[in-house]
Each structure stands twice: as structure tokens, then as C-alpha cells.
Amino acid sequence: MELWLIWLIIALVLAIAEIFTLTAALGMLAVAGFVTAGTAAIGLPVPGQLVVFSVVSAAGVVLARPAARRMMLQPRIERFGIEALVGSSGYVLREVNGHEGLVRIRGEDWTARPYDESVVIPAGSTVDVLHIDGSTAVVYPRE
């Protein structure tokens, strides 16, 4: 079997493995394998092929690392789940007191309690969501 064909098979196996793992490392090795298969096809000797494979693999890491590092160090811009509700406003459907209450936040009905247990928030009021405690919104009346 031709050596370039072996490199091509290795590159294809790495590319397929990358599709299933999505790690990017196998993808960079697959690219190095394809480049090395090309150099083997034009007749570069085996030591030269190994050098090409090593250089292209290292170049992939050197080029990809800064971009990956930037992405990892960026703060999350969007909040998801219950974190997204904190700081939003709600509409009181049923009086909120120290024992019970119901507010509508972004179209969903949530059980609620006031931040200050002594405060009673009447129905029809607007409140700010301070945090979510389990499935209960902790709210404060908007002034």
C-alpha cells in the first residue's frame, strides 16, 4: 500500500472522530494528516513526512490556542434560566406577603414572597425580582 494512502486513511479516521467528539484537537491532526498525505504523494521521504506532520500539527495548536483562550476568558453576555429573571420586573397577580403570593414574570406565573417579610405588596403592583429561591421569586415593590 502506498504511504500517501496510509496518511490519507489516518487523516480520514481523525476527521470522522472529530465529527463525533468536537474537540478540535483531532480536527487539527486530521488537517496535518491531509497535508502529510499530499507531501507523501509528491515523493517526500518518510522523515520529511514526519517533520511536515509535526510542524502542521504544532501550527494548528499555535494558531488555534489564542482564539480558544479569548473565547474561554470572555464573560457570558447572556444569562440563562432563572438567572435571566433576576433584575427583571414582575406584575403582582395575587397579594404578596410573608406567606404567599403570585407574580407574573416574563409571561410566567411564579410563587413569590417579599424580600422584607413585613412588607405586603398588593395585587396590581409592579415588583423587581431580587433573586429566585427554588421555585419562589423573592421580590421588592417598585417605588
Side-chain angles (χ1 to χ4, degrees):
M1 185 180 277
E2 296 282 333
L3 194 55
W4 68 269
L5 189 57
I6 294 171
W7 280 111
L8 188 62
I9 291 169
I10 291 171
L12 286 172
V13 167
L14 288 169
I16 291 169
E18 173 62 32
I19 291 170
F20 290 108
T21 62
L22 300 175
T23 60
L26 295 176
M28 289 185 277
L29 291 175
V31 169
F34 285 122
V35 171
T36 306
T39 60
I42 62 172
L44 191 68
V46 174
Q49 294 172 26
L50 294 175
V51 168
V52 167
F53 183 80
S54 300
V55 168
V56 174
S57 296
V61 171
V62 168
L63 295 175
R65 187 175 185 276
R69 186 169 167 83
R70 271 193 309 273
M71 288 179 66
M72 289 176 57
L73 293 178
Q74 284 180 343
R76 286 179 49 187
I77 296 172
E78 288 190 37
R79 295 181 298 168
F80 296 95
I82 60 173
E83 292 176 5
L85 299 176
V86 175
S88 62
S89 64
Y91 178 77
V92 179
L93 299 173
R94 191 170 55 218
E95 179 181 276
V96 177
N97 56 43
H99 304 290
E100 64 180 355
L102 187 67
V103 296
R104 179 163 290 151
I105 306 166
R106 293 190 180 172
E108 294 181 346
D109 295 348
W110 285 76
T111 58
R113 66 178 167 84
Y115 179 72
D116 181 358
E117 295 291 327
S118 64
V119 172
V120 175
I121 307 168
S125 300
T126 301
V127 292
D128 290 317
V129 179
L130 299 180
H131 71 274
I132 304 293
D133 184 17
S135 63
T136 302
V138 178
V139 298
Y140 194 78
R142 186 174 278 178
E143 305 274 336

